[in-house]
Amino acid sequence: MSIVTRVIVFSLKILKKYIATVFILFIFQNINGQSEVQIIGGERLTINQAKRLTVIAENVVIKHNGVTIQCDSAIRKTDLGIIEGFGNVYIFQPDTFTLSGGDYLKYDESSKTAIVTGKNVVLRDAQMTLQTTSILYNTLNQTGFYTNGADIQNGSNNLKSKKGYYFRRSNVFNFKDNVVLTSPDYVMYSDTLEYFSGSKIAYFFGPTKIVSEENIIHCNYGWYNTKTEKAQFSKKASIISGANTIFADSLLYDKKKGEGRGIGNIKLIDTIENFEVYGQHGLYYQKSKETWVTQNPLAIKKDETDTMYILADTFYYINDTLNKTLKAYYNTAIIQKEFQGKCDSLVYQFNDSLISLFHSPILWSKENQIVGDTMFILLKNKKMHRLKVMNNAFLASEVKSGYYNQIAGDYMNNLFTDNKLDQVLVEGNSEIIYYIRDNETDSAEYTGVNKEKCHKMLIFFDSSRVSNIRFYGKPVGKIYPIKEFPESEKHLENLSWKVDQKPVIDTFLERKKEIKKSFALPSKSKESPINSKKKLKPKKISK
């Protein structure tokens, strides 16, 4: 056969195949009256007019409404407007999406909806890649739905869930059941999640857990911006970081800045110190390990035998291993089983077991009232061991109504044993008024009064009663018979009995109670930013 003859034969074969394709398309369009559906590929065509079926075999290519469908074979049920595809199902719309990997396709021409199933069905667009075994996808409004589980890759974020909706035009995912969002820096587990792939913001509903290298977060509602790493966690929200946990009705968190804000029923737990802080509003600075708590704050230092409570208007807490400190500002009160106190401001240095009380503090221990300009409580084995009172030190205890044992001086050092007053060392302008009994029984009558002045004195106590006095320097004074003690001298200067101001435990426990508040779902219109006010600075407490 000559070269010319071969060329003619080859050309005739191509022409024959082209004419057959055009004939198939012509018959398909005219028989079914569906000008929207075009068959542009296929090796064989069979039409069953009685059953109103059109069967296309091998290398099937169908176009409908701008969408191209490819598969190994297809059946069109013309009366129902349904196309079924078999083997190597591939659907695409240029510059929009691709849907591949299907073994079976059911396409509804009226609703433009495709159901694709297979071992590895893959939906791709410019924003993400979705892998599943079954998906329902509407090519008109470009929405997808799956119920057999899916794996979605969106940039560096990976999402998995049992059920899900995908809205391509708005780049929104709705996930339900066993939702897992994995980012390079964290993993999020949730019951229900709504994810905007364009803005990279995830809204979560129901029990949610977020695990990162720094902390573990729990909540029931909230949002998280995976791009800016800002978040809001609401409804029984908590952040666990090592030995520390923060609870609140709502938590705002900026991961990049390491700053957080708690609103409503705040509870901070330090398991190492067995220490808790409560309040209604808080600020947390992760880098400096500083925390501010306001609105009726309460601090609790737990112990099996004697728990300590502290309240104030504002708390400033430094959770540094080498310098763990609580500072309480304004209207401060402290209570423990064996003592109670109040002052303007307080500093508790955990590492040194030292509590400093500033600005005219008052402390009550058993029947004793102690006042001064400044006080320092040194704890030993979680009990008060030593109390130093600086300037205008004054100790008083009521003998009977209007009559008081009194010790005063410039400086006072009180020593306690098992929280009971054991010794008092007074220095500088030391004075004492002490009522004497015949014996140390509670029913014994008072017979005299010892009033002395000295530069320095050491008073010993036994069962809260004076057992001995040691004077340093020459004392001035005398012992009066009880009936001869002048009324004008029964009070030392600056005596002010304020037992009615002694704190009671109910005042502290009231602040621990949860305050019920209405709860609003997180807004999707814009992020609720962490307050942009300048970082608070701790007030210096002068000593």
Side-chain angles (χ1 to χ4, degrees):
M1 186 183 293
S2 66
I3 294 175
V4 174
T5 304
R6 290 176 181 173
V7 170
I8 292 173
V9 171
F10 180 70
S11 299
L12 287 172
K13 287 182 178 178
I14 294 176
L15 181 60
K16 182 180 179 182
K17 187 173 183 179
Y18 173 76
I19 292 171
T21 302
V22 172
F23 180 69
I24 290 171
L25 177 60
F26 174 79
I27 293 175
F28 190 84
Q29 290 176 330
N30 284 275
I31 288 176
N32 299 289
Q34 298 287 342
S35 59
E36 295 180 0
V37 177
Q38 303 176 37
I39 297 179
I40 59 174
E43 298 295 330
R44 296 186 304 277
L45 175 68
T46 303
I47 299 174
N48 188 324
Q49 290 280 20
K51 295 184 178 180
R52 305 197 70 178
L53 297 177
T54 301
V55 180
I56 310 132
E58 298 183 32
N59 302 317
V60 177
V61 181
I62 300 173
K63 279 192 174 183
H64 181 243
N65 199 42
V67 174
T68 301
I69 300 172
Q70 296 178 350
C71 55
D72 292 343
S73 61
I75 298 174
R76 182 169 187 262
K77 300 176 182 179
T78 56
D79 57 336
L80 300 176
I82 298 293
I83 299 174
E84 289 185 289
F86 306 90
N88 296 307
V89 175
Y90 182 72
I91 306 173
F92 71 93
Q93 188 173 31
D95 301 322
T96 306
F97 77 93
T98 64
L99 184 54
S100 62
D103 297 324
Y104 172 77
L105 161 70
K106 184 177 181 181
Y107 180 76
D108 188 313
E109 298 168 15
S110 176
S111 64
K112 283 67 171 187
T113 300
I115 298 175
V116 181
T117 61
K119 293 181 179 179
N120 186 30
V121 179
V122 181
L123 173 65
R124 286 189 177 92
D125 62 21
Q127 295 289 336
M128 63 88 211
T129 299
L130 182 153
Q131 292 178 282
T132 184
T133 57
S134 178
I135 189 168
L136 184 151
Y137 190 76
N138 187 292
T139 62
L140 180 64
N141 56 34
Q142 295 174 21
T143 59
F145 173 64
Y146 60 87
T147 59
N148 292 336
D151 187 305
I152 300 102
Q153 194 67 38
N154 175 240
S156 60
N157 297 315
N158 178 267
L159 299 105
K160 296 179 181 179
S161 70
K162 184 178 180 181
K163 302 175 184 177
Y165 287 90
Y166 174 52
F167 303 87
R168 184 194 170 276
R169 295 189 191 279
S170 55
N171 288 318
V172 176
F173 288 92
N174 288 107
F175 302 102
K176 176 68 177 175
D177 296 340
N178 302 321
V179 182
V180 181
L181 169 59
T182 303
S183 177
D185 298 324
Y186 67 90
V187 179
M188 179 188 295
Y189 305 89
S190 183
D191 175 76
T192 303
L193 179 71
E194 189 171 30
Y195 181 68
F196 292 74
S197 62
S199 62
K200 301 293 192 298
I201 298 177
Y203 295 87
F204 28 88
F205 307 87
T208 302
K209 181 171 75 169
I210 303 172
V211 180
S212 67
E213 187 176 343
E214 297 87 3
N215 48 48
I216 299 174
I217 299 169
H218 292 271
C219 69
N220 286 278
Y221 293 93
W223 55 260
Y224 188 91
N225 189 319
T226 62
K227 184 188 298 182
T228 64
E229 295 186 308
K230 291 182 180 180
Q232 177 183 347
F233 311 108
S234 302
K235 204 171 183 182
K236 296 184 178 179
S238 68
I239 300 178
I240 304 171
S241 181
N244 304 294
T245 303
I246 301 174
F247 297 91
D249 289 344
S250 184
L251 290 167
L252 295 169
Y253 184 58
D254 188 327
K255 189 173 184 293
K256 288 184 177 179
K257 290 184 177 180
E259 297 179 2
R261 178 182 296 273
I263 301 171
N265 296 306
I266 296 170
K267 180 180 179 181
L268 285 72
I269 301 176
D270 183 341
T271 56
I272 294 176
E273 293 291 343
N274 210 7
F275 182 67
E276 297 178 359
V277 176
Y278 296 80
Q280 295 302 316
H281 188 267
L283 295 172
Y284 173 64
Y285 303 99
Q286 188 173 8
K287 294 179 182 178
S288 58
K289 299 180 180 179
E290 298 170 276
T291 301
W292 287 89
V293 181
T294 59
Q295 298 182 20
N296 298 322
L298 169 69
I300 302 176
K301 185 72 167 68
K302 288 188 172 183
D303 184 70
E304 293 181 359
T305 58
D306 196 359
T307 297
M308 181 187 296
Y309 299 83
I310 301 171
L311 61 77
D313 292 345
T314 301
F315 284 161
Y316 170 68
Y317 182 49
I318 303 175
N319 193 9
D320 189 323
T321 305
L322 300 177
N323 182 31
K324 190 168 292 190
T325 304
L326 173 70
K327 296 184 179 182
Y329 296 97
Y330 317 125
N331 301 308
T332 303
I334 183 171
I335 192 169
Q336 208 172 3
K337 185 191 298 183
E338 301 295 338
F339 72 87
Q340 306 81 37
K342 58 179 294 185
C343 59
D344 175 79
S345 305
L346 174 152
V347 176
Y348 185 178
Q349 295 167 275
F350 290 79
N351 293 31
D352 298 329
S353 298
L354 178 65
I355 302 175
S356 306
L357 290 74
F358 300 96
H359 307 300
S360 304
I362 308 175
L363 197 72
W364 292 270
S365 174
K366 296 291 187 180
E367 64 273 12
N368 299 306
Q369 173 185 286
I370 305 168
V371 300
D373 291 351
T374 305
M375 292 183 188
F376 301 97
I377 301 173
L378 182 63
L379 302 175
K380 185 177 181 180
N381 297 325
K382 302 177 183 179
K383 297 180 180 180
M384 185 160 61
H385 174 63
R386 192 176 295 275
L387 171 65
K388 294 183 179 181
V389 185
M390 313 298 293
N391 301 322
N392 299 307
F394 203 112
L395 184 151
S397 61
E398 190 175 46
V399 174
K400 59 181 180 178
S401 181
Y403 294 87
Y404 306 92
N405 289 328
Q406 302 156 65
I407 302 172
D410 296 337
Y411 166 83
M412 186 180 294
N413 191 351
N414 302 270
L415 183 65
F416 292 79
T417 302
D418 293 328
N419 275 331
K420 296 177 181 178
L421 187 60
D422 191 50
Q423 296 179 20
V424 176
L425 175 65
V426 191
E427 295 186 70
N429 300 309
S430 303
E431 296 180 85
I432 185 171
I433 292 177
Y434 179 70
Y435 287 80
I436 303 170
R437 293 185 181 197
D438 285 336
N439 56 67
E440 295 305 319
T441 62
D442 292 335
S443 60
E445 294 290 332
Y446 290 100
T447 57
V449 182
N450 186 0
K451 183 174 182 179
E452 304 278 357
K453 289 184 179 181
C454 188
H455 173 70
K456 178 179 177 182
M457 64 180 72
L458 178 62
I459 302 100
F460 296 89
F461 288 79
D462 184 10
S463 300
S464 300
R465 297 189 178 99
V466 174
S467 61
N468 189 21
I469 303 175
R470 186 178 298 170
F471 297 99
Y472 298 86
K474 187 176 180 180
V476 177
K478 67 175 184 177
I479 297 176
Y480 294 85
I482 189 71
K483 294 181 180 180
E484 296 178 12
F485 186 52
E487 185 73 17
S488 59
E489 295 189 28
K490 72 175 185 178
H491 294 164
L492 296 177
E493 187 179 357
N494 297 326
L495 171 66
S496 178
W497 189 246
K498 299 179 179 180
V499 71
D500 58 318
Q501 298 182 20
K502 184 188 294 188
V504 293
I505 189 62
D506 289 347
T507 306
F508 295 81
L509 296 179
E510 187 67 26
R511 295 194 175 194
K512 189 178 177 182
K513 293 180 180 178
E514 182 176 342
I515 298 176
K516 299 293 183 182
K517 296 179 181 179
S518 59
F519 174 75
L521 294 179
S523 171
K524 298 179 185 178
S525 59
K526 61 180 181 178
E527 295 180 9
S528 301
I530 293 177
N531 196 309
S532 60
K533 290 181 180 180
K534 292 183 179 179
K535 179 178 175 181
L536 295 173
K537 295 294 183 182
K539 175 184 174 183
K540 291 184 179 179
I541 300 177
S542 59
K543 295 184 180 181

